[in-house]
Amino acid sequence: MPVSGAAERASARIARIPAGKPRNSGCRHMGKFFVTTPIYYVNDVPHIGHAYTTIGADVVSRFHRQKGDEVFFLTGTDEHGNKVEMAATERGITPREHADQMVTRFKEVVRKVNATNDFFIRTTDPQHEAYVQRFIQKVYDAGDIYESSYSGLYCSACEAYYTEENLVDGLCPDHGTAPTFMEEKNYFFKLADYQDRLRQHYLAHPDFVRPRHRYNEALSFIEQGLDDISISRATLKWGIPVPWDASQVIYVWVDALINYASALSYAVGQDLTTRLWPPTYHLMAQDILKFHGIIWPALLMSAGYELPEHLFIHGYLKLGGEKMSKTRGNVMDPFPLIEQYGADPFRFYCLREVNFGQDGVVGEDSFKARYNAELANELGNLMSRTASMIGKYRAGVVPAAPVGESPLAEEAAAVAAVVEKALGDFDLSGGLEAIWTFVRRLNRFVEERAPWKQAKAGEDAALDHTLWNLAEGLRFLAVVLHSFIPATSAEMMSRLGMEPDAAAVAWERAAWGLLPAGGAVTAGAPLFPRIDV
Ligand code: MSP
């Protein structure tokens, strides 16, 4: 791993300069930001798709922390239901044993991608189970649950019923597998009764679901008419018992959705609900939009909760032409790439290769190509040339900031504004694109100024000006890149002689002119050693 642990190593190495006061510091309003990922099924091992959502949530969480907001980032695992029970049976172990083994893999992904989640919920946590029972009891007490029998075609991978019309050639549209016929006496939730209220909510909150085409999809689904849904299972054992009828368990999707509320009640040993509810963003791919955009808000309305502010729906990462899925057996394992190249290149690749919000194809070849072209040749090279020139021409000390306007100040301010807006809108790829125009601008700046010529000609003031601007450009990049590639950002700060702490990457420091003179610059190994292809 090229940059992991670099901040720690660096602390023993060089003279440090505290971040100091930013020019534009002032009183700011602190907000709250509660973001969630789906809780992932533990029926099988994690793949790159799960890592992707977690990375997206981490980038916005880090960004909001940079802005001084109170952030709560929740992720976890969905451990009940038919799918998990079947996976355990196949392995000849209990669902609990199976879940206990699998959850370590999912926790490992979170750690490996360097995600800063505030809690990891498991739906087998006893506090969650008790909360789900209290929640569903409220829905029952509101008169929204009744008993009836149900028969239909069931996709166990989706844990959902399908009508003939919704199948593609008789197969599940999402998993390509044949559904099985199921007949049961179940408890039903009166979803149809919520159709109007849901529609009104969508109309009053045009940014409830983002991006826009996903909002339209969900709204049109509501407008086509909603049926009541079965919310319990009689034949399944692996789930949370229905509080008023212990012979049935609560439908896994209802159990799972409630995690977003239950987690706040016990994550930190004190109930955070009043402080943090409702969620600012639920993040997910389009496969589970209907559950989050229709069933979840209806359940919340019934139980008397405020609705989430937004759902953001990103696209599918595809391998070849198809959505990756465990059921289809075409998954890409994120671990080898992360092991070999580090979390940052992986995070960078996922967000840069595929427009966040659209589907896109990923693969190892394009990972390596982008790594070499952009991380090694553009960012890494910019860092090495700057550090080595300051080493060579200024004995490794940041020269004094030049008097007067910098040719880069205006562009940096524009980039910071675009990135701030983009990250606020979950346009993670747009944010990276804006940052990369500045990386390229700085590389052009080196060519234009040709500091080696300035040195040769003895143009001391001009050379100071060039070198300070480059170092300041890198410091600025370290701030705006922090949420995307945090370890690299810390390493860049260290190499510029700055303490790579939270103060150094506070968002107000995404401004021009804050690099102090006198810092000890170190060259070090390449940030991103080239990959031989
Ligand atoms: N357990 C349910 C979610 C319950 S949330 C209350 C579930 N689990 S899942 O393991 O199948 O995860 C689905 C989610 O994983 C997607 O919505 C998305 O966030 C992520 N992804 C899974 N495969 C993906 C891709 N191929 N591409 C992008 N994201 C993917 O559904």
Side-chain angles (χ1 to χ4, degrees):
M1 283 188 22
V3 290
S4 145
E8 290 83 53
R9 283 199 310 278
S11 66
R13 209 173 56 212
I14 47 175
R16 291 321 174 88
I17 293 182
K21 273 248 176 291
R23 274 184 204 162
N24 58 351
S25 75
C27 202
R28 282 197 331 105
H29 172 71
M30 259 184 50
K32 81 139 218 224
F33 188 77
F34 173 22
V35 64
T36 69
T37 72
I39 48 170
Y40 307 112
Y41 281 131
V42 293
N43 59 321
D44 208 343
V45 294
H47 59 75
I48 190 176
H50 305 119
Y52 184 56
T53 314
T54 303
I55 290 170
D58 188 59
V59 170
V60 290
S61 295
R62 286 178 184 268
F63 168 68
H64 280 274
R65 287 194 204 100
Q66 284 183 281
K67 299 213 341 161
D69 292 338
E70 179 179 12
V71 172
F72 195 81
F73 166 13
L74 176 66
T75 187
T77 41
D78 188 353
E79 304 190 359
H80 292 126
N82 192 31
K83 253 160 92 130
V84 175
E85 195 181 68
M86 275 169 25
T89 309
E90 260 169 43
R91 297 178 61 207
I93 54 177
T94 65
R96 161 60 83 175
E97 285 165 343
H98 174 82
D100 285 348
Q101 288 172 16
M102 284 298 175
V103 74
T104 60
R105 299 295 302 270
F106 282 89
K107 287 187 169 170
E108 204 184 340
V109 172
V110 174
R111 199 171 50 78
K112 285 269 161 78
V113 302
N114 203 0
T116 52
N117 61 309
D118 295 286
F119 189 54
F120 188 102
I121 188 169
R122 301 181 60 181
T123 54
T124 49
D125 290 344
Q127 299 96 321
H128 168 78
E129 296 183 341
Y131 192 101
V132 168
Q133 290 190 318
R134 292 197 298 274
F135 186 104
I136 208 69
Q137 185 70 49
K138 284 185 197 155
V139 178
Y140 186 77
D141 294 344
D144 282 335
I145 291 178
Y146 63 95
E147 198 179 2
S148 182
S149 64
Y150 196 88
S151 64
L153 294 165
Y154 194 76
C155 170
S156 59
C158 295
E159 296 268 20
Y161 282 103
Y162 278 93
T163 57
E164 296 276 2
E165 307 87 76
N166 290 333
L167 299 174
V168 178
D169 300 328
L171 303 177
C172 165
D174 214 30
H175 296 95
T177 48
T180 49
F181 184 78
M182 289 236 306
E183 187 163 23
E184 284 194 346
K185 199 175 77 176
N186 289 161
Y187 290 100
F188 280 72
F189 171 59
K190 294 182 184 169
L191 183 63
D193 283 6
Y194 283 88
Q195 180 168 340
D196 282 345
R197 283 178 66 187
L198 284 170
R199 184 168 172 275
Q200 289 312 326
H201 186 81
Y202 270 76
L203 296 179
H205 301 87
D207 57 0
F208 180 54
V209 176
R210 287 173 163 165
R212 189 68 187 176
H213 65 283
R214 298 296 175 199
Y215 168 93
N216 292 336
E217 241 175 70
L219 178 58
S220 95
F221 191 80
I222 294 168
E223 288 178 337
Q224 280 161 32
L226 300 176
D227 293 327
D228 292 348
I229 54 157
S230 146
I231 52 126
S232 70
R233 294 289 179 269
T235 46
L236 188 72
K237 291 280 156 291
W238 182 234
I240 304 173
V242 171
W244 60 89
D245 178 354
S247 73
Q248 301 231 1
V249 298
I250 294 167
Y251 175 39
V252 65
W253 261 105
V254 171
D255 164 355
L257 287 163
I258 296 171
N259 93 86
Y260 302 131
S262 72
L264 293 185
S265 73
Y266 70 95
V268 298
Q270 133 202 25
D271 193 342
L272 296 173
T273 311
T274 332
R275 268 229 324 260
L276 293 173
W277 190 265
T280 321
Y281 270 102
H282 288 312
L283 182 60
M284 74 206 76
Q286 63 262 40
D287 51 346
I288 54 179
L289 168 59
K290 279 183 199 163
F291 293 100
H292 286 78
I294 295 160
I295 299 177
W296 179 226
L299 285 169
L300 288 170
M301 285 173 179
S302 173
Y305 285 65
E306 220 180 305
L307 299 198
E309 287 170 39
H310 311 284
L311 276 48
F312 188 91
I313 315 300
H314 64 65
Y316 287 143
L317 298 186
K318 299 182 170 194
L319 208 54
E322 283 189 332
K323 179 204 168 191
M324 249 177 267
S325 94
K326 291 170 286 201
T327 320
R328 289 180 193 272
N330 63 333
V331 296
M332 182 169 167
D333 182 355
F335 289 119
L337 284 182
I338 300 175
E339 289 297 341
Q340 204 170 349
Y341 307 108
D344 280 0
F346 181 76
R347 292 165 65 106
F348 174 80
Y349 170 73
C350 289
L351 299 175
R352 185 108 170 99
E353 188 71 13
V354 178
N355 209 318
F356 206 73
Q358 289 165 19
D359 294 352
V361 177
V362 290
E364 211 172 311
D365 290 347
S366 66
F367 171 87
K368 289 178 180 166
R370 202 173 269 283
Y371 173 104
N372 278 339
E374 297 189 337
L375 291 178
N377 291 359
E378 294 182 331
L379 181 60
N381 200 23
L382 177 67
M383 180 79 237
S384 336
R385 351 166 49 180
T386 303
S388 78
M389 288 187 296
I390 293 177
K392 187 165 168 197
Y393 303 130
R394 292 294 177 262
V397 177
V398 175
V403 192
E405 281 304 300
S406 158
L408 301 170
E410 217 172 285
E411 282 166 70
V415 167
V418 173
V419 175
E420 181 165 8
K421 164 98 176 58
L423 289 182
D425 290 343
F426 254 103
D427 178 11
L428 308 186
S429 316
L432 263 186
E433 176 58 30
I435 295 171
W436 231 255
T437 58
F438 197 68
V439 171
R440 290 175 179 154
R441 174 72 186 93
L442 286 174
N443 275 317
R444 282 202 310 280
F445 185 77
V446 178
E447 301 304 323
E448 284 162 20
R449 294 296 164 112
W452 46 92
K453 286 188 190 156
Q454 294 173 323
K456 206 163 175 195
E459 295 165 5
D460 267 357
L463 183 57
D464 276 356
H465 182 271
T466 302
L467 296 177
W468 183 86
N469 272 281
L470 285 172
E472 169 60 355
L474 283 163
R475 183 206 61 81
F476 170 82
L477 281 174
V479 178
V480 291
L481 279 170
H482 162 78
S483 62
F484 294 98
I485 46 174
T488 305
S489 155
E491 178 66 15
M492 288 166 69
M493 286 286 182
S494 290
R495 290 188 184 195
L496 294 168
M498 302 189 67
E499 195 69 56
D501 56 14
V505 292
W507 189 255
E508 55 200 14
R509 298 187 63 83
W512 195 257
L514 303 178
L515 180 73
V521 175
T522 34
L527 286 181
F528 303 101
R530 275 187 68 82
I531 303 174
D532 282 332
V533 275

